[in-house]
Amino acid sequence: MKKYWFILLLAYACGSSKEDPNLAQAMDIHNEATKIGHSASMSVSQLKSLEAKMKQPQLDSLNAITTDLSEWYETLVEVPGNEHEDHDGHDHDHDHQENYLEGLSSEDILAIQAELKKQIQWIDARVNNLMNDVRANDNEQ
């Protein structure tokens, strides 16, 4: 009987090498951020199709948002071991800038992902504000 409990305990210990909760949270944050980024990109594309209706300040804002969105994608780093569905619907491991995370603690990785999400939320809010502004001007004309 003691052998049975030992085997169960050993099996539990081996199977319970749970993933780091910080990395799990970082993965969730990363996946949410990439969804927001995809949505913002789609909205920017929609705005670009409306450039002819925009005033100069709106065009300037669109250009700044486009630059910021591009820079955000360039700084996007993947959480090691994270697999998620890409925008094309295929599951695969991403290699955004994974090498930059080597040697960082899970707390640091979590902080980086939280900051990236905060940045894309800010960009997305700017996109939405510009979209609302363009629509309001279109309705006035």
Side-chain angles (χ1 to χ4, degrees):
M1 186 69 159
K2 286 183 183 180
K3 188 175 182 180
Y4 176 74
W5 286 109
F6 177 75
I7 292 172
L8 277 178
L9 187 61
L10 183 62
Y12 177 76
C14 291
S16 70
S17 59
K18 297 177 184 172
E19 64 184 44
D20 185 317
N22 288 327
L23 287 181
Q25 187 178 1
M27 287 178 194
D28 289 342
I29 291 170
H30 174 84
N31 293 339
E32 291 169 10
T34 56
K35 285 179 184 177
I36 295 167
H38 179 68
S39 175
S41 294
M42 299 300 290
S43 295
V44 165
S45 294
Q46 188 178 9
L47 282 165
K48 287 184 179 215
S49 71
L50 301 172
E51 282 181 327
K53 297 179 179 184
M54 291 185 193
K55 299 175 181 176
Q56 191 58 49
Q58 293 170 326
L59 289 169
D60 293 342
S61 183
L62 179 58
N63 288 334
I65 289 169
T66 302
T67 299
D68 290 346
L69 186 59
S70 217
E71 288 174 359
W72 181 81
Y73 273 111
E74 289 175 14
T75 62
L76 188 59
V77 288
E78 184 65 74
V79 177
N82 189 24
E83 292 183 24
H84 60 88
E85 193 170 290
D86 196 14
H87 309 305
D88 58 7
H90 296 96
D91 287 331
H92 60 279
D93 230 354
H94 283 272
D95 187 28
H96 300 299
Q97 297 291 336
E98 191 170 342
N99 295 341
Y100 292 121
L101 297 180
E102 284 183 26
L104 294 180
S105 70
S106 61
E107 292 86 6
D108 290 339
I109 293 170
L110 177 58
I112 290 168
Q113 295 302 322
E115 180 59 30
L116 287 167
K117 183 178 177 188
K118 181 179 162 186
Q119 290 172 4
I120 196 60
Q121 287 172 321
W122 178 68
I123 293 168
D124 189 50
R126 291 169 50 211
V127 170
N128 290 328
N129 288 339
L130 180 57
M131 183 69 79
N132 290 336
D133 189 42
V134 169
R135 286 180 180 154
N137 285 342
D138 194 36
N139 288 337
E140 290 174 3
Q141 295 176 7

